[in-house]
Amino acid sequence: MSQEVVLLILLFTALAFSLMLGFPVAFTLAGSSLIVALVAEYSGYFDISLLTALPQRVFSIMINEILLSIPLFVFMGIMLERAKIAEDLLDTMGRLLRHLPGGLAVAVTVVGALLAASTGIVGATVATMGLLSLPVMLRWGYDPKLAAGSICASGTLGQIIPPSIVLVLLGDVISSAYQRAQMDQGIFAPDTVSVGDLFAGALLPGILLVALYIVYQIIFAIRNPHLAPSKASAEGSDLSDVPTIVETLQALVPPLGLVIAVLGSILAGLATPTEAAAVGATGACFLAAIKQNSSLRPWLYASLISLLVIFVLSGQVNLSFAREVRSSVELFSMILAVALTLFFLAGFSVSLITIYRGNTLVNVCRSTMNLAAMIFSILLGATLFSLIFRGLGGDELVHGWLHDLPGGVYGAFLVVMVIMFLMGFFLDFIEITFVVVPVVAPTLLMQGLDPVWLGVMIAMNLQTSFLTPPFGFALFYLRGVAPPEITTVGIYKGVIPFIFVQLIAMIVLTLFPSIVTWLPEVIYG
């Protein structure tokens, strides 16, 4: 065994040992890497001058516009969670589907999908649905394991259904890995893969996963009707009446409208992910203000419509002021656009004032800052880790190891997927994304795998890390809000069928990769 291999084993051993001791991930990545680098430099197997590249790498992270969308998406998700959008959705969908076998479990999955597309915050989604739907499901006579598994699984859909923070992070990592793979192949005008490509590629797989969840829940309810009743058996159920059309629209239209505005603008090529995230954060402020003060609903909705009118005008008429000659129609349109802009800004100001007075804005900003700081600190620590890993020759070792595996590229892909799945039992998706993906992705891409398909498959795999015991975060979130009769072992047993459903979805995507690649090809060619 060569000295470089010994040092690489020492690097991963120090990292794993420090994580098990409970040290913060960001400092563990950076600290373990530095200690091993000093040992390697003293032994003559590492050039410490390689660390001079770290400032440039940090600066490239600071100026990366795609990563700016992360705090904006986090802000949007936390704001919608604080606006209690989930309460209306759960109540409405539960009443709509109450006569379907396993109707309440199906309603939880549908709401989870809607919240995933509008928030993407796993902890907030699982905790909210655990508080709202779990007591009702138990009162209806649902099997506690099915109830817990449905809530945990649907709460993690935000990791695969766009706009997803996982996809944003993976988009940046996969893009760098794809360009590096092409450069290593002698292609000096490399193609690129964007976050929008991953969003488009993940949309149909996300819908497929939701459908598979629902199919399992319905089959379970048909085979075990006493464990998933279709009607309320307890008196005084708050889901006893069918919602009216107006109630249904009031619950569904706001989050769906926000999803269409954010995701639609990205897929249509009208906005970058960062710009769309800003639109989502703004829309979330409006919805939160309307939820806090319903008397403002007509005024604030009119303000949002004015923004839509400005968008339509900009697509039909040249609204640029930097011209000397303007037609009367253009002049009128410019005046109208200015007036509508002022009207929108007034509505946005009212929204901010409303949620500030309700003490929502300050709390959301603090939570956003904490979560965004955690993500970026891990990214900086992982940057140092990857720099030292490459300096020790780890990338060449991994490339040779994967290239020599039996089964060719799909054999290497299977091994990587299994390793990521096993690491998900102990590590968070952020560490796996920043540490493992940059190491293995270039080699897999050099062997001909489609970058969008690979990114979506990794995202689907990382989603299971929220469900796999013993350290699945969704399990911890639900354990924190579940009543005493829901045991930890019961939660573990409840999520196991949904983990198998996710594995089935990954097998389907492997056998039929066009499910992932079709929509990006249609949209972006």
Side-chain angles (χ1 to χ4, degrees), residues 303 306-307 309-311 313-314 318-321 326 329-346:
S303 181
S306 69
L307 184 63
V309 174
I310 295 172
F311 176 76
L313 276 177
S314 65
N318 187 354
L319 299 178
S320 174
F321 283 88
R326 307 181 185 90
V329 173
E330 290 176 337
L331 184 60
F332 173 77
S333 299
M334 292 168 66
I335 295 173
L336 178 61
V338 170
L340 291 174
T341 301
L342 294 175
F343 182 64
F344 168 75
L345 291 176

Side-chain angles (χ1 to χ4, degrees), residues 211-380:
L212 291 176
Y213 281 171
I214 292 175
V215 168
Y216 163 73
Q217 290 165 335
I218 293 177
I219 292 176
F220 181 92
I222 292 175
R223 296 184 61 183
N224 306 277
H226 60 289
L227 297 179
S230 59
K231 294 183 180 181
S233 58
E235 296 183 0
S237 172
D238 54 347
L239 303 178
S240 58
D241 59 320
V242 177
T244 63
I245 296 179
V246 174
E247 290 176 333
T248 303
L249 292 178
Q250 285 181 348
L252 291 178
V253 169
L256 282 178
L258 189 60
V259 169
I260 293 172
V262 174
L263 188 56
S265 61
I266 297 174
L267 298 182
L270 301 175
T272 65
T274 301
E275 294 166 344
V279 171
T282 302
C285 291
F286 275 91
L287 295 182
I290 292 171
K291 187 69 175 179
Q292 287 191 10
N293 189 348
S294 58
S295 63
L296 296 174
R297 179 180 286 113
W299 158 255
L300 294 182
Y301 276 154
S303 181
L304 284 173
I305 293 174
S306 69
L307 184 63
L308 179 61
V309 174
I310 295 172
F311 176 76
V312 174
L313 276 177
S314 65
Q316 302 296 323
V317 182
N318 187 354
L319 299 178
S320 174
F321 283 88
R323 293 177 299 146
E324 294 182 1
V325 180
R326 307 181 185 90
S327 66
S328 57
V329 173
E330 290 176 337
L331 184 60
F332 173 77
S333 299
M334 292 168 66
I335 295 173
L336 178 61
V338 170
L340 291 174
T341 301
L342 294 175
F343 182 64
F344 168 75
L345 291 176
F348 185 53
S349 300
V350 171
S351 299
L352 291 178
I353 293 172
T354 302
I355 57 180
Y356 176 77
R357 289 178 175 175
N359 203 30
T360 300
L361 182 61
V362 174
N363 291 332
V364 170
C365 288
R366 286 175 177 168
S367 298
T368 301
M369 181 183 66
N370 290 335
L371 186 53
M374 182 268 291
I375 292 175
F376 283 106
S377 63
I378 294 176
L379 176 55
L380 293 176

Side-chain angles (χ1 to χ4, degrees), residues 33-44:
S33 304
L34 279 176
I35 292 173
V36 174
L38 292 174
V39 172
E41 198 273 339
Y42 179 78
S43 303

Side-chain angles (χ1 to χ4, degrees), residues 385-400:
F385 175 88
S386 63
L387 181 63
I388 294 174
F389 181 82
R390 293 191 66 185
L392 292 173
D395 53 343
E396 297 176 1
L397 182 66
V398 170
H399 173 74

